[in-house]
Amino acid sequence: MPAPISERKLANAIRVLSFDAVQKANSGHPGAPMGMADIAEVLWRKFLKHNPADPQWHNRDRFVLSNGHGSMLIYSLLHLTGYDVSVDDLKGFRQLHSKTPGHPELGYTPGIETTTGPLGQGIANAVGFAIAEKTLAAQFNRDGHKIVDHHTYAFLGDGCLMEGISHEVCSLAGTLGLGKLVFFYDDNGISIDGNVEGWFTDDTQARFEAYGWQVIKVDGHDTDEITQATEQAIAETTKPSLIICKTTIGAGSPNKQGLAASHGAPLGDDEIVLTRDALSWKHAPFELDDEIYEAWDAKAKGDVQQKNWDADFEAYKKAYPELAAELLRRLNGDLPAEFDKQAQEYIQQTQEAGGDVASRKASQNAINTLQPLLPELLGGSADLAGSNLTLFKDAKGIEKDADGNYIYYGVREFGMTAIANGIALHGGFIPYVATFLMFMEYARNAVRMGALMKQRIIHVYTHDSIGLGEDGPTHQPVEQLTSLRTTPNLRTWRPCDATESASAWVEAIKSENNPSALIFSRQSLPHQARDAEQVANITKGGYVLAKEQSELQAIIIATGSEVGLAMQAYETLSANGVGVRVVSMPCAEIFMEQDASYREAVLPANIRARVAVEAAHVDYWYKFVGLDGKVIGMTTYGESAPAEELYKEFGITTDAVVDAVNSLV
């Protein structure tokens, strides 16, 4: 009987596949996969609960490679354990339309849980996974039925810990006592610029212990130590765990291990020959022994794990049929069968009720109405719940030892948003997060990542313009709406009253493959009269709110608080015989998705006299009014003063709209 294959040889399979793929692509990062190979071998072969034949199995453990530049590590693991990632896929590393892009990307490769690359956001996503698991378990598990029961593991490097987001999310993870969250820190002391001792000398152990984490230190190349540490981490159920693994970057490369030279560049043909000799690796590139594949293959083990869970779920379904059906609905991302009907009734009731209201208050009214219909709505605010008005009637904060349905994120805009990405990715929840529109800037890259991954996340941004008043230009957004509107996949809503606010919420909830940004005012906004067709057309992103009273000569386009100005200008112009219409455009992106005939009906091409008005940067609107049209808005930062004075100061007034239209007709 042949001797069992050594763990080191199994880890070396990761090393050689990684440096071979990087070399073939002539691009990539071989150092991290080579340095973390021993850690990966222990976690993936001994502990990770997953099924390569069904990468979306609900109760799988989640694995996140936060140091995503080392993507060949996870591609090698997926290939070796039996996912649909072939040798040819590895050979196509970093090539167009391959399953193995330069950083792990959701949707390209089976087994990838989240898109990583911008350092630190992967661990934030992992915190989101862990929050979702803990909260879903509290809502659905019953005595004798642990249906939601999995761990979240993440690999991270020095760069992840240097990024400020790591403080935001790891601090919160400790406060919430996320005991099923386990991080493996690749402590190799090297980043792109060289030895990190010149710029990163934090006491990482003390830092995480201060957060409330369990911290364990190991030799990252000693499989026994890694195994024992992982067992210890799993045994600790009241604290997240950080396993600090002292490693050598590029381990196995005679001349480049331990050096920045192995971080972000191929080893080179000559060094690969030497590395193969040092590892006693006799095979040609991308060739492995059958015994290596047999030792790595996780399909049989994963099949047993999933079938055991299936049997447990069948017992759960018999004991709690309604809970089981509800859990599956939520995990599958489906909305309740009656939701659309109930939502449309609510929108119509809002229109009939009328009344002037700040759109942030209208947003809270929508949440209070929709949350009982959708228990999967999991909200939170970055320490501004009283200003964002994100708390709903039965909101209960998630705490370390208590169930809840609302997250008090604290002043952590970036961390909050990246955590919400992880919650959405986990399944079972539709997360919404909130802050002032100005402070979207702190969260900007996480907003982009959610859009890149096409996740259903709802960003609530209040205090949307100079209309917030006395706080001044530090708090008054100007360019942020343009930034959001030009983000692919993201839908940005700026409603003008309670009806549009309700519609925006409903459409955001229904947008399964798009995140949404809902932009709300601090100040009260006037209710607008609409017929049933106009109410229905809100969902088209732009529609005729006020029709011309004589032959059409000019069009005013407005959003949010400026729709009220546009309507006042409409009354003046119409009384003076000008044929003008008002187009409310709460979501320009959705309007541009409509068919050409609808867009032409709203904005006839032959009407060149167009004026757009919005208390935001003017440049965005020239795509709708043309270079010959006029835009009334902001070209500078704001000032500290009451809102009414500021609108006059910056020329965003009814008179300005009237004058602009008259100058064009």
Side-chain angles (χ1 to χ4, degrees):
M1 183 176 179
I5 191 168
S6 71
E7 292 172 319
R8 180 55 54 83
K9 186 173 182 180
L10 294 174
N12 285 344
I14 298 172
R15 293 186 169 97
V16 295
L17 286 175
S18 297
F19 65 61
D20 280 341
V22 170
Q23 189 65 33
K24 187 175 189 303
N26 195 31
S27 176
H29 299 74
M34 296 172 72
M36 298 194 79
D38 299 303
I39 308 166
E41 186 273 328
V42 170
L43 177 63
W44 278 65
R45 291 189 64 249
K46 295 182 180 180
F47 296 100
L48 195 70
K49 180 175 65 178
H50 64 122
N51 184 3
D54 186 1
Q56 297 304 309
W57 170 37
H58 293 312
N59 204 46
R60 68 193 182 278
D61 289 336
R62 272 40 170 200
F63 174 79
V64 178
L65 184 70
S66 186
N67 46 343
H69 54 271
S71 57
M72 268 311 303
L73 173 63
I74 194 167
Y75 298 148
S76 298
L77 289 165
L78 294 170
H79 170 70
L80 290 166
T81 54
Y83 287 79
D84 184 19
V85 179
S86 67
V87 169
D88 285 340
D89 292 326
L90 300 185
K91 291 178 179 178
F93 179 56
R94 291 196 163 208
Q95 305 309 300
L96 185 64
H97 302 314
S98 79
K99 285 185 180 180
T100 52
H103 291 78
E105 291 189 41
L106 185 74
Y108 283 78
T109 322
I112 297 297
E113 301 284 2
T114 180
T115 301
T116 57
L119 293 175
Q121 286 195 64
I123 59 176
N125 298 161
V127 172
F129 284 131
I131 290 174
E133 191 274 343
K134 179 178 180 178
T135 307
L136 204 64
Q139 293 178 1
F140 286 95
N141 287 353
R142 296 294 184 268
D143 289 343
H145 297 278
K146 294 184 70 174
I147 297 303
V148 181
D149 182 21
H150 67 78
H151 283 76
T152 299
Y153 300 100
F155 283 2
L156 58 139
D158 294 299
C160 294
L161 293 182
M162 283 186 261
E163 290 286 359
I165 192 174
S166 69
H167 165 72
E168 296 184 28
V169 302
C170 295
S171 168
L172 185 60
T175 298
L176 296 180
L178 301 178
K180 290 184 178 178
L181 181 65
V182 181
F183 286 176
F184 294 82
Y185 166 34
D186 181 27
D187 183 16
N188 62 38
I190 297 293
S191 65
I192 291 175
D193 282 352
N195 194 311
V196 300
E197 287 184 358
W199 47 87
F200 184 54
T201 57
D202 300 12
D203 185 338
T204 299
Q205 178 174 351
R207 171 187 169 187
F208 274 78
E209 287 174 344
Y211 292 153
W213 289 54
Q214 172 181 235
V215 181
I216 310 163
K217 283 189 169 183
V218 300
D219 178 344
H221 301 296
D222 187 317
T223 56
D224 290 337
E225 286 190 22
I226 300 165
T227 300
Q228 292 167 12
T230 307
E231 291 170 344
Q232 184 179 340
I234 292 171
E236 174 53 73
T237 60
T238 64
K239 299 179 180 180
S241 295
L242 176 71
I243 303 174
I244 300 176
C245 305
K246 193 63 182 175
T247 63
T248 300
I249 192 170
S253 170
N255 296 306
K256 294 190 176 182
Q257 64 181 5
L259 302 176
S262 69
H263 185 288
L267 295 182
D269 291 333
D270 293 341
E271 186 66 15
I272 283 178
V273 171
L274 296 175
T275 304
R276 273 187 154 76
D277 288 342
L279 298 177
S280 299
W281 199 266
K282 308 301 182 184
H283 305 293
F286 300 103
E287 290 184 5
L288 302 176
D289 289 335
D290 288 343
E291 64 173 354
I292 291 176
Y293 280 116
E294 290 170 4
W296 267 107
D297 196 324
K299 292 194 294 293
K301 181 180 178 182
D303 182 62
V304 170
Q305 290 174 324
Q306 185 166 353
K307 284 179 177 176
N308 288 340
W309 183 84
D310 288 342
D312 291 342
F313 189 76
E314 283 301 312
Y316 176 74
K317 189 158 59 173
K318 289 179 181 178
Y320 303 99
E322 292 182 359
L323 275 178
E326 176 71 357
L327 176 59
L328 286 180
R329 177 190 72 76
R330 287 173 54 173
L331 289 173
N332 291 333
D334 299 326
L335 298 178
E338 294 295 306
F339 174 77
D340 193 55
K341 177 184 176 183
Q342 293 168 324
Q344 296 310 315
E345 289 174 352
Y346 168 63
I347 293 169
Q348 188 58 45
Q349 290 166 3
T350 302
Q351 177 63 31
E352 292 170 359
D356 297 354
V357 64
S359 56
R360 63 169 174 164
K361 181 60 180 177
S363 169
Q364 186 179 48
N365 294 341
I367 298 170
N368 273 320
T369 301
L370 299 173
Q371 196 280 332
L373 309 178
L374 289 169
E376 59 262 45
L377 272 182
L378 184 59
S381 175
D383 202 49
L384 288 169
S387 294
N388 299 144
L389 302 186
T390 49
L391 283 170
F392 49 92
K393 182 180 178 181
D394 296 320
K396 180 183 177 184
I398 294 170
E399 300 176 4
K400 184 173 185 178
D401 300 314
D403 182 16
N405 56 9
Y406 187 88
I407 302 172
Y408 289 93
Y409 281 103
V411 188
R412 299 180 175 99
E413 294 89 354
F414 191 7
M416 169 184 72
T417 308
I419 286 171
N421 288 344
I423 292 171
L425 288 161
H426 178 277
F429 295 100
I430 300 174
Y432 69 87
V433 293
T435 186
F436 289 175
L437 177 56
M438 185 65 247
F439 302 135
M440 175 279 295
E441 295 290 356
Y442 282 126
R444 184 71 187 89
N445 200 263
V447 174
R448 182 180 188 271
M449 294 301 289
L452 181 63
M453 293 186 284
K454 301 180 180 179
Q455 294 301 297
R456 180 161 49 187
I457 300 149
I458 302 172
H459 306 283
V460 176
Y461 298 129
T462 68
H463 296 61
D464 65 346
S465 70
I466 58 171
L468 69 88
E470 293 85 348
D471 276 330
T474 61
H475 285 52
Q476 294 167 3
V478 172
E479 70 276 27
Q480 285 65 40
L481 279 167
T482 296
S483 176
L484 291 169
R485 286 174 175 143
T486 55
T487 301
N489 303 329
L490 180 67
R491 292 175 169 176
T492 302
W493 289 85
R494 188 172 183 246
C496 75
D497 65 0
T499 305
E500 286 191 358
S501 297
S503 295
W505 261 105
V506 171
E507 291 306 301
I509 288 167
K510 291 165 62 177
S511 294
E512 186 175 357
N513 298 312
N514 297 89
S516 300
L518 310 185
I519 315 299
F520 299 119
S521 71
R522 177 190 183 190
Q523 70 271 35
S524 182
L525 306 181
H527 173 73
Q528 301 298 333
R530 299 176 184 85
D531 60 26
E533 181 181 4
Q534 288 172 311
V535 171
N537 283 341
I538 295 171
T539 64
K540 297 180 179 180
Y543 63 101
V544 178
L545 177 63
K547 298 177 182 177
E548 59 276 11
Q549 297 179 18
S550 56
E551 184 179 353
L552 182 60
Q553 297 173 275
I555 301 172
I556 304 170
I557 306 169
T559 79
S561 50
E562 286 67 68
V563 170
L565 291 178
M567 290 299 294
Q568 291 172 3
Y570 168 83
E571 296 294 338
T572 299
L573 290 162
S574 297
N576 291 329
V578 179
V580 62
R581 72 170 49 167
V582 174
V583 171
S584 177
M585 195 170 290
C587 186
E589 304 94 304
I590 291 180
F591 178 75
M592 293 304 295
E593 294 172 3
Q594 303 308 307
D595 60 56
S597 62
Y598 178 79
R599 297 199 308 271
E600 172 65 17
V602 175
L603 297 176
N606 66 313
I607 305 301
R608 306 305 300 166
R610 299 183 183 187
V611 175
V613 54
E614 183 177 64
H617 202 283
V618 299
D619 279 3
Y620 179 81
W621 290 103
Y622 285 106
K623 67 189 288 183
F624 290 103
V625 304
L627 295 179
D628 295 329
K630 293 195 173 182
V631 182
I632 296 169
M634 299 293 293
T635 57
T636 68
Y637 294 118
E639 295 286 349
S640 295
E644 290 184 6
E645 293 182 25
L646 291 172
Y647 273 83
K648 292 177 182 177
E649 172 70 18
F650 292 103
I652 305 173
T653 64
T654 299
D655 288 344
V657 178
V658 170
D659 290 345
V661 171
N662 283 329
S663 72
L664 295 174
V665 299

